[in-house]
Amino acid sequence: MREAKYKDQINAMIAAAETEGSSQAVITTLKAKIIKGEMSPTEAKEIAKNFNIIKSKVDQMPNNLSEQGKAASLDLMMEKDKLEKAIQGKDPNLVKPQKDRIAEIDKRLQEIAKENFNESFLLFLHPLANFIFRQRIEIRYDF
């Protein structure tokens, strides 16, 4: 149950980040909450910052990613950023586990891209295959 709610929240954040004008809408909503006293300016700044981070990650994703692919990619990209910030300026020999995890993340992101490319390619091919199949049947009956 908790995992389903988390997935719904992630999907909602991704949808919001993909929506034209969403950044301005978030800022307007946060300003209104501050004025009403429902939120402190510090909380609003944190929410705006997090939204902008998510939006920048979503903007880096190709349009053909599925909802599931986008959610998985977002999680991985956020984890990768956190790891990269943690090891920045550190001795490479002392942060090998983090670098290995970053390499794993990169590999998984490539797999997600490939899976979604194949899926979108198949979705493109399906109507084409149906059309060709219908044409072959019509040709077969023409003999």
Side-chain angles (χ1 to χ4, degrees):
M1 175 89 166
R2 187 176 195 171
E3 188 174 314
K5 185 176 180 181
Y6 175 74
K7 284 181 183 179
D8 290 343
Q9 289 173 340
I10 292 291
N11 290 335
M13 285 189 289
I14 291 169
E18 291 177 322
T19 303
E20 182 97 18
S22 60
S23 295
Q24 188 58 41
V26 167
I27 298 299
T28 302
T29 301
L30 293 173
K31 284 180 180 179
K33 287 185 178 271
I34 292 169
I35 291 169
K36 290 179 184 177
E38 296 174 0
M39 182 180 291
S40 73
T42 305
E43 290 172 316
K45 285 179 186 176
E46 188 66 23
I47 290 170
K49 178 182 144 197
N50 290 335
F51 178 79
N52 288 331
I53 290 169
I54 289 169
K55 182 159 179 42
S56 74
K57 296 301 171 206
V58 170
D59 288 345
Q60 294 175 35
M61 296 178 195
N63 294 333
N64 70 327
L65 285 182
S66 66
E67 196 173 274
Q68 183 180 10
K70 287 178 184 178
S73 296
L74 180 61
D75 279 344
L76 291 167
M77 293 168 80
M78 299 292 281
E79 181 184 354
K80 180 180 174 181
D81 273 2
K82 187 177 178 181
L83 288 168
E84 287 175 337
K85 286 176 185 169
I87 66 172
Q88 189 174 13
K90 306 291 189 254
D91 185 299
N93 298 307
L94 298 174
V95 292
K96 177 116 173 66
Q98 292 91 333
K99 286 188 166 205
D100 290 345
R101 177 62 185 143
I102 290 170
E104 290 172 11
I105 290 170
D106 287 340
K107 183 178 178 185
R108 181 63 189 127
L109 287 170
Q110 291 168 10
E111 290 169 356
I112 291 169
K114 185 176 179 181
E115 290 165 5
N116 280 269
F117 173 78
N118 290 340
E119 183 178 304
S120 65
F121 187 67
L122 289 174
L123 289 174
F124 164 76
L125 280 182
H126 183 70
L128 182 62
N130 281 337
F131 173 77
I132 292 170
F133 181 70
R134 279 185 267 131
Q135 295 303 315
R136 290 183 75 194
I137 288 174
E138 290 173 17
I139 293 169
R140 188 179 300 155
Y141 285 106
D142 287 344
F143 288 112

